Amino acid sequence: MGTSTRWKGPSGDRWSSAARRLARWREDSRNADQRLEEIAADYLRALHETLRADRSAFGLYDTACAAGERLAGALGSLAVEGAESADVLVARLVSEVGGDGGMLADAAVRRGVAAAVRDVRDRHPELDDAMDAGVAGGGFAWDILCDLYQVFFADMVGEFLRSVVAEHVKLAVPVLIATDPEGRIADWVAEKVVDLVPNPCEESAEATDLAQAVDTAQSVMGAAQEPAAALPKIAESLVPRAVGKALGLITEKITGEEGAVA
């Protein structure tokens, strides 16, 4: 994707079919919301099928894995230091996790970080309270950080597809720009993908006992650690599975209006 030529989005029958359905969609039509969800499922299916056929497509897999590893590394410092505001948190994570690449996948990662912070704030109102009170310097709770990790991968996929849909809107149906179908599709995709992504805290809790979880982390780290200190390494070890599930490389059924998206 060069700097002088606008990217027109991915090609192929599945992508073209989703784009045609989007071109026919109207916000004031009967069952518009349901139909838009079906179109979102089509786009997600197209992405998953494309990546299964060619894991290197769009550079998304490698970019997501690298970003996930950087995010896992950032969790430990956030557990100790926190951040004094949401803007500071977003800026820090974009800098530490987003990288400096100029491809669409890199942009999706950076927007995914910002969307993940937004979504975690919605899930955890206490995060805003802590930052507003200026007490976040003591670090964020691990349940918040584990949710941030999980939500990030889902939002990254949603943001990648937001860019694809936005180009299809511009090319085929510019009248739809005012209705923001790309934003609604991105939100639907993220909501469907998030539960597929492993949560480091839950993975630790689901071990036969806490000692087993710590032992697992120790085998990765090669040294004894406190349970909280082990969580960043548990998160890092989960990155291939998190990316694989979010991108449809590790199959999991997602039920949509027209069936299942693997």
Side-chain angles (χ1 to χ4, degrees):
M1 170 175 155
T3 56
S4 61
T5 302
R6 193 179 80 182
W7 185 63
K8 297 182 179 181
S11 59
D13 291 344
R14 180 70 74 180
W15 295 102
S16 298
S17 175
R20 287 193 296 271
R21 293 194 68 189
L22 178 65
R24 296 192 298 268
W25 180 80
R26 293 294 181 270
E27 188 175 29
D28 58 357
S29 65
R30 184 178 180 182
N31 299 323
D33 290 342
Q34 176 183 336
R35 289 178 180 176
L36 193 62
E37 290 181 359
E38 293 169 358
I39 293 168
D42 283 348
Y43 274 106
L44 183 57
R45 184 183 296 112
L47 177 64
H48 285 177
E49 291 185 358
T50 299
L51 287 165
R52 285 185 200 131
D54 178 8
R55 182 173 293 198
S56 68
F58 319 118
L60 192 57
Y61 178 81
D62 288 343
T63 299
C65 285
E69 291 173 0
R70 292 192 294 266
L71 176 61
L75 296 181
S77 59
L78 288 172
V80 174
E81 301 171 7
E84 61 266 32
S85 72
D87 288 343
V88 169
L89 178 59
V90 169
R92 176 176 173 179
L93 288 175
V94 167
S95 175
E96 294 183 9
V97 178
D100 56 5
M103 301 297 287
L104 182 64
D106 299 295
V109 164
R110 291 189 283 269
R111 290 197 303 269
V113 166
V117 171
R118 176 203 66 200
D119 291 342
V120 168
R121 290 172 69 195
D122 289 342
R123 290 185 177 201
H124 296 276
E126 69 273 19
L127 178 59
D128 271 355
D129 294 340
M131 291 189 292
D132 290 343
V135 298
F140 296 137
W142 268 106
D143 63 328
I144 294 174
L145 295 175
C146 287
D147 278 356
L148 178 66
Y149 175 93
Q150 185 179 33
V151 169
F152 161 71
F153 292 101
D155 278 327
M156 178 204 64
V157 174
E159 291 301 319
F160 179 85
L161 287 175
R162 180 198 296 268
S163 296
V164 173
V165 175
E167 289 304 319
H168 286 174
V169 167
K170 292 175 187 176
L171 290 167
V173 279
V175 70
L176 293 182
I177 291 176
T179 68
D180 188 31
E182 59 267 39
R184 293 166 64 182
I185 286 174
D187 289 344
W188 184 92
V189 166
E191 181 181 345
K192 294 300 178 183
V193 170
V194 67
D195 288 337
L196 303 181
V197 179
N199 181 298
C201 294
E202 293 175 1
E203 291 289 320
S204 178
E206 287 173 3
T208 55
D209 54 38
L210 182 58
Q212 181 177 337
V214 175
D215 287 344
T216 299
Q218 289 172 357
S219 69
V220 176
M221 300 177 74
Q225 296 288 337
E226 293 299 321
L231 278 168
K233 284 299 181 181
I234 294 175
E236 183 178 0
S237 73
L238 290 172
V239 167
R241 180 148 60 100
V243 175
K245 287 199 169 187
L247 298 184
L249 298 170
I250 300 174
T251 58
E252 188 89 18
K253 186 177 290 186
I254 304 175
T255 302
E257 297 295 336
E258 290 192 323
V261 181

